[in-house]
Structure formats: C-alpha cells, structure tokens
Amino acid sequence: MQPDTETRLKAMLRSLREVIIPAIASDEKLAVDQANIVAANIAMLIEQHDMQLHYLIAELRDYRAFLQDLLEISATPASQAVQKSRTLLDDLAPALDTKLPLPDELAQALTRVKTAVDEQVQTLLDGSDPQAVAAVTYLTFKYARPQLLRERAWVAKAGFELEPEKIPSLEELLSSENHQR
Amino acid sequence: MITTDIAKHNPSQEWIASLRERFPTHASVDETLTRKLERRAGPPHRPQTVDTVVERLNAFLARRVEGPFTVTDVKALAGGSSKEQYAFTLSGAGVANGSARFVLRMRPAESIVETHVGREFQAINAVHGKIPVPRAHWFDSEGAELGQPALITDFCHGVTTPPYSGAYSPRLGLPEKYRKLLAPQFTAHFATLARLDWSQSDMSFFDQPAPHTIEAAHASLNWWQRVWEEDAAQPYPLMTLAAHWLRKNAPPTDHVSLVHTDFRKGNFLFDLESGQITAILDWELSHLGDRHEDLAFFLNPLFGGYDENDNYLVGGLMERQEFLDLYQQLSGLPVDEKKLDYYMIFNAWRGVINTLATGVRCMMGQKTHQDIRVGWITYTSAINLQSLLEDLERRLSDAA
C-alpha cells in the first residue's frame, strides 16, 4: 500500500499550508478560519490515523474490566441482565485476548517478507532451471492477482479506473472470510 | 534485490557507483540521475518566491536579450506534474514584435521524472517547424543563474481539454466534435516524429543507438531499472519478473526515431474554436529509440476510453486499427505487433516505476512543489500493474 496514509496526509497538509492557505485573500475570514481548522485536523490525523484500532481495543478492554468488576458486586447475580453481560464477556474474549502488532511493527515485517520473496524470485529467475523459472512465474502471477485487486480497490475512487464498478469493494476484499485464505 | 530504504534516503557514493555500473544508460541521463541521488539527503523542496524568480529571470535575460527589456505579468501555471512553471511577458526592442509571452519551466529538488533540461531544449528545437511546439529559447542546465535547472520556451495558446460541466474525472473524454478534428492531426504529428531526420539537428545531449541492434531497448531498460532501484520503497515481485522478461526479450530497432515517450491527449494544446493543435508539449523524456515505444505508450489502457456508442478508443481519440493504419500510411514505417506488445509491457512497467517508485519517493522526501498532485498520480500504478500482469501472462502463455 503505497503511498501510505501518513505520506498522503502529509502531502495534503503541505499543500494546504504552503499553497492554498497563503492564496486565500486575508479578508475571506470564514475560508481562512476553516482552512486552518482543516489543516489542524490533518496534523492530528497524521499522529492518530493508524492508532484508531488500538485505541478502540484499549477502550474495549477497559470497559470489559469495568463490566467484570460491576458483575462481581452485582446484587442480582442470577438476573437475566447479568447473565446476558456474562455471555457478552465470553464472546469478547477471543478478539481481546489476541495481541495485535503495532502498525509500524506490521509494516516492517511486511517489508522484510516482501524483500525475502523478491530475493527468491530474482534468484530463481536468474537460475538455469527452466522448470524453476516456469514455477516462479506461475507463483508470481498467482500472488499478484489478489494483491492487485486490493490495490485497485484501495484507489478506485480516484477516478483512473475505466470500469470501477467491476472492482469489488475493499470491505468485500478485506472481510475476514476473504483474507483468511 | 532492492536496497534498504535508509540507504536510498541517504545514498552513499559506493551505492551510486554500483548503480551506474549495473545500469549503463544514456550519458546525460546517467548524469541527471547521479545528481538526483547526490542531492537526495538534502531538505524538502521550497519553491523560490515569485520576487526571487523575477529577480533571477531579469539577470538571466540581461545576459541574453539585446537592449532594455521588461518582465511583467508573471503567473504561476497549473498543469503538468513534474516542473514548476511560470508564464511571463517579455517586452523590449530585442524581442520579436516588441513583446511576447514565455514559459519558464523549473525542475524542483526531485520530480516524478528526473530529466535533463538540455535534452528537452534540443528535442524541442529538433522538431520545431515540423511539429507544432513552443520554441525553446534558453536553458540553465544546473540552475546556476535561475536557482533551479530551467528552460524558457514560447507560450502557446490553447487548451488540453474543452470546458466541462460536472465533477472533474481523469477519465474525462473529448466530445466527438473535437475527436474528429484532433485525431487525424495528432496521428499526423505522431507519424512526422517517427520519420523525422533528427541527424540534422544539434542532439549532442543524446546518445545514438545503432539501428538493427537491441542497444536502444537496453538503454531504456537500464535507465528505468536504475530508477526503480533508486526510488522504490519496497520490492514488488511482479516488477522483478517483468524486468527479467523485458531484458530477455528486447527487440532490435529497425529505425532510430526521436521518441517523445509521453505523446498523448493531455500533452497537446488545441484551439477551442478551430480544433487546430497548437502545440505538442512535455519533451523532457525524449530520447533516440524505437517508435514502438511511443506507439505503445499511446495505446496504454490508462489513456483509452469508450465513446458515446461504447466503442473503445485508444488514447481516447480513435479506434485502434484506424489509428495504426493511418500512422503507417503517413509515416511510411511499418508497425510490428510483436514489438508493440513488447513495448506495451515496457510502458506499463515504466509507468509503475514513475508512480509507485519515484512518485512515492518524492512525497516521502517532500521534494516537489506539488506533492499532493504527484500523490494523486501514484494511484495510476495499480492500473499499470494490472496491464503488466495481463500482458505478461498473455505473452508467456503464447510462448508456451
């Protein structure tokens, strides 16, 4: 996924601060005010955008603990509401007890794996075994297809696709069922 | 194998030397790419103020224009993705008709295509009088006088697209009226370029590949594979496979042409009233090579579209066979479908290098005056990768 979201946001911020805002007439008070707020929001998003998932999980973990503590002191432990809450806590366990990598860790791991794959592809292509060349070619195509579908879906709204309606949505492509192939 | 990103962000002399050795290419391209890497660790690009531009422009012109003159009406121009551009009026006794409008094109710290202004200057003047172009008057190859490498050309009137209503879309096609007027002219200029006798012009910045050899194909391959190595933030196995295939299948060039490399709708101006093409622009990537490289670029699916009757038009202008027939008739040069196929793959590969490697690299280093626009163009990389995948699969299955 290149350029990544942080790089895109930084380009937007730079454009706003260095080109657009200076070009707005100073007596256009409403436009100047809102443009500066947009810039400030983008600056915040640069810091926050890849932490949203972790933020939600931290919040969910705290609320789960809160609910657990409340259930401990419940005056009506057999009530339907308490039973419902206990079921909810059980349902949450698999998602909340899995340690998620930080976005930077994930990106670095991905680069390392891509580099290792590319080295293998290059080595096999440079070799003299035609069967190995055929096999690496087959595998490169095989894994390029889903990768490209994701990449095209990621930027389909930019308007460069001739028939964007034929590209599956990101939601469809990234649903747990589809990406746990 | 792709070098780590830290090494690319702050290139060592050893790494630069190794790239030059691995990917020998046109001498002036090598020089330009080497300077790019030597500057890379520098700060983000900060455009000069308009006042500074005007001050330097006055000093530059004072050494070249006879008699007193004035520079007025300096305006930043939009359009184009690689250069900073200003239009200005130059008036004085030493100026034809006493006053004329010019364009100053300046190279930012890095650009989505890193090019040599001397090559652009020579290419424009080689075709001037045969193809409508803005005449190139002066250039500053290192930016010693203008602060950035720069080229000064005539200003040409015209539009790249007629006024449209509704939201902008990069796939916006031309109305039928304009297609009918523009397609034959465009093809005629394309054909003129292919058969142009460039040997009579000053082409000292250009290396001349020998005809009937694969020198031209290899020089282009080395040029762009070097750029991929210099700029790509991450490896991409399909790109590695494509480079391998391109190297093994490079075709000989039957006729060495001046190749524009970006000859398409959007890179020419036309008069809104008459539909006459007034200028073919953006000669910065020109080189001496195989006309099929230019043809295949124009045929790239990125520039095609459907007309009102759902017929697919290459370059958004005309049907494929109609274009190729007219081109062959006007140029007197054959079109070899196998070479066209080869260069379709080459151009898709190169398009990915320009966007996914160089475009992203420019954004990461904040090296241009319009990172936001460069970023938008990077979104085309997925389409070029798709073309690359489909064309390579087809070629390899045909070969099997």
Side-chain angles (χ1 to χ4, degrees):
Chain A
M1 187 208 300
Q2 292 284 343
D4 62 24
T5 305
E6 183 175 327
T7 307
R8 291 160 69 189
L9 289 169
K10 282 181 174 169
M12 287 181 214
L13 184 59
R14 188 167 182 231
S15 177
L16 262 174
R17 284 181 174 162
E18 297 180 16
V19 179
I20 298 168
I21 293 175
I24 302 174
S26 55
D27 58 349
E28 292 287 350
K29 303 287 186 201
L30 186 64
V32 170
D33 182 51
Q34 293 198 8
N36 279 308
I37 293 170
V38 171
N41 261 298
I42 293 174
M44 286 173 72
L45 280 171
I46 290 169
E47 303 295 321
Q48 297 167 341
H49 71 94
D50 60 0
M51 296 312 295
Q52 182 160 351
L53 181 62
H54 289 80
Y55 187 101
L56 288 173
I57 286 175
E59 201 171 9
L60 189 52
R61 283 192 175 127
D62 279 354
Y63 271 93
R64 177 178 67 167
F66 193 179
L67 184 56
Q68 281 169 332
D69 288 349
L70 287 173
L71 295 183
E72 292 297 318
I73 59 167
S74 171
T76 55
S79 73
Q80 199 176 13
V82 168
Q83 289 311 316
K84 199 173 157 190
S85 293
R86 290 198 191 286
T87 306
L88 176 62
L89 288 172
D90 289 345
D91 290 347
L92 287 174
L96 289 182
D97 295 338
T98 304
K99 183 183 178 295
L100 276 181
L102 287 167
D104 274 355
E105 292 168 356
L106 204 56
Q108 283 168 19
L110 182 60
T111 301
R112 284 200 299 274
V113 175
K114 280 186 179 181
T115 304
V117 166
D118 199 59
E119 280 175 10
Q120 288 300 316
V121 168
Q122 186 71 66
T123 304
L124 288 162
L125 288 173
D126 288 345
S128 55
D129 178 0
Q131 281 189 324
V133 171
V136 75
T137 301
Y138 167 80
L139 288 174
T140 303
F141 288 155
K142 176 186 169 185
Y143 286 99
R145 283 184 215 109
Q147 169 76 17
L148 274 175
L149 210 47
R150 279 193 297 271
E151 290 185 14
R152 292 172 71 194
W154 189 252
V155 297
K157 292 279 193 292
F160 291 107
E161 286 284 349
L162 193 54
E163 296 172 294
E165 68 282 358
K166 292 188 176 168
I167 299 177
S169 70
L170 264 179
E171 192 180 7
E172 199 178 327
L173 290 169
L174 298 178
S175 67
S176 56
E177 193 178 304
N178 280 336
H179 78 88
Q180 285 174 1
R181 280 170 292 115
Chain B
M1 181 196 144
I2 286 281
T3 307
T4 63
D5 208 57
I6 295 164
K8 291 181 182 191
H9 184 65
N10 191 1
S12 67
Q13 285 300 325
E14 292 74 23
W15 184 58
I16 296 172
S18 77
L19 288 172
R20 297 181 71 190
E21 192 182 332
R22 284 171 65 199
F23 303 110
T25 187
H26 313 279
S28 51
V29 170
D30 168 45
E31 181 191 317
T32 305
L33 296 178
T34 301
R35 297 227 168 128
K36 172 190 78 173
L37 290 181
E38 289 170 345
R39 291 193 309 268
R40 174 157 291 165
H45 179 66
R46 290 281 173 267
Q48 302 180 54
T49 64
V50 175
D51 288 346
T52 307
V53 169
V54 172
E55 186 187 325
R56 287 177 166 161
L57 191 54
N58 272 299
F60 181 88
L61 292 170
R63 288 188 275 273
R64 290 159 179 86
V65 176
E66 282 187 24
F69 65 86
T70 57
V71 170
T72 55
D73 202 14
V74 180
K75 291 260 167 23
L77 295 175
S81 303
S82 60
K83 305 290 185 282
E84 284 178 66
Q85 301 189 101
Y86 292 91
F88 65 94
T89 300
L90 177 62
S91 308
V95 182
N97 303 318
S99 180
R101 200 110 173 103
F102 292 83
V103 173
L104 168 65
R105 280 165 62 79
M106 299 196 295
R107 195 178 71 191
E110 288 188 32
S111 162
I112 193 158
V113 284
E114 196 70 19
T115 56
H116 187 285
V117 288
R119 287 169 68 94
E120 188 175 3
F121 177 87
Q122 289 184 343
I124 291 173
N125 287 335
V127 301
H128 185 256
K130 292 130 191 157
I131 291 175
V133 286
R135 184 167 193 161
H137 294 277
W138 305 284
F139 70 98
D140 177 1
S141 61
E142 298 306 321
E145 295 175 82
L146 290 165
Q148 294 161 244
L151 173 71
I152 296 174
T153 71
D154 287 336
F155 179 91
C156 292
H157 88 277
V159 296
T160 54
T161 184
Y164 53 89
S165 56
Y168 167 77
S169 160
R171 283 290 191 176
L172 206 62
L174 289 169
E176 186 180 14
K177 168 192 161 188
Y178 286 110
R179 291 199 309 269
K180 282 195 182 319
L181 289 166
L182 295 169
Q185 295 175 66
F186 175 83
T187 312
H189 296 319
F190 217 151
T192 300
L193 181 63
R195 65 163 193 267
L196 179 96
D197 180 8
W198 45 264
S199 67
Q200 302 306 308
S201 307
D202 176 12
M203 301 295 278
S204 51
F205 287 121
F206 291 77
D207 290 0
Q208 301 178 11
H212 310 294
T213 71
I214 57 171
E215 276 180 31
H218 268 194
S220 288
L221 262 177
N222 282 341
W223 174 353
W224 294 109
Q225 199 167 358
R226 172 170 166 182
V227 173
W228 174 255
E229 295 282 336
E230 290 172 349
D231 296 348
Q234 291 185 338
Y236 206 110
L238 184 62
M239 292 293 284
T240 304
L241 178 66
H244 183 263
W245 184 88
L246 287 165
R247 202 162 283 281
K248 289 193 87 166
N249 291 278
T253 304
D254 61 339
H255 174 93
V256 177
S257 300
L258 179 60
V259 179
H260 178 285
T261 321
D262 204 1
F263 212 92
R264 61 175 171 83
K265 179 167 70 72
N267 268 346
F268 63 79
L269 299 174
F270 62 94
D271 179 76
L272 208 48
E273 292 297 311
S274 65
Q276 196 71 25
I277 291 180
T278 56
I280 309 279
L281 305 172
D282 282 4
W283 292 83
E284 58 194 329
L285 285 166
S286 302
H287 61 278
L288 296 173
D290 194 311
R291 65 188 176 284
H292 293 86
E293 184 180 341
D294 251 352
L295 284 170
F297 183 83
F298 175 66
L299 299 179
N300 186 313
L302 195 55
F303 309 121
Y306 292 102
D307 70 5
E308 302 78 9
N309 303 312
D310 276 346
N311 297 311
Y312 182 76
L313 306 180
V314 292
L317 285 177
M318 61 207 297
E319 291 191 39
R320 185 180 190 277
Q321 202 52 53
E322 184 189 4
F323 165 69
L324 292 177
D325 288 347
L326 184 58
Y327 175 89
Q328 289 180 98
Q329 181 199 328
L330 295 173
S331 69
L333 294 165
V335 172
D336 180 329
E337 285 285 352
K338 270 196 147 180
K339 286 186 187 173
L340 212 46
D341 259 7
Y342 175 87
Y343 281 107
M344 291 293 287
I345 292 172
F346 173 85
N347 279 313
W349 175 76
R350 196 205 91 196
V352 178
I353 294 169
N354 294 155
T355 51
L356 195 61
T358 308
V360 172
R361 175 69 51 189
C362 288
M363 290 177 79
M364 287 161 69
Q366 301 191 335
K367 294 292 189 181
T368 83
H369 57 299
Q370 50 178 3
D371 297 342
I372 191 80
R373 170 171 264 277
V374 170
W376 199 254
I377 296 168
T378 65
Y379 303 153
T380 62
S381 64
I383 295 173
N384 270 321
L385 280 161
Q386 185 67 35
S387 299
L388 190 58
L389 173 68
E390 289 172 8
D391 289 349
L392 262 179
E393 277 194 298
R394 184 170 44 77
R395 279 303 293 264
L396 286 165
S397 67
D398 287 352

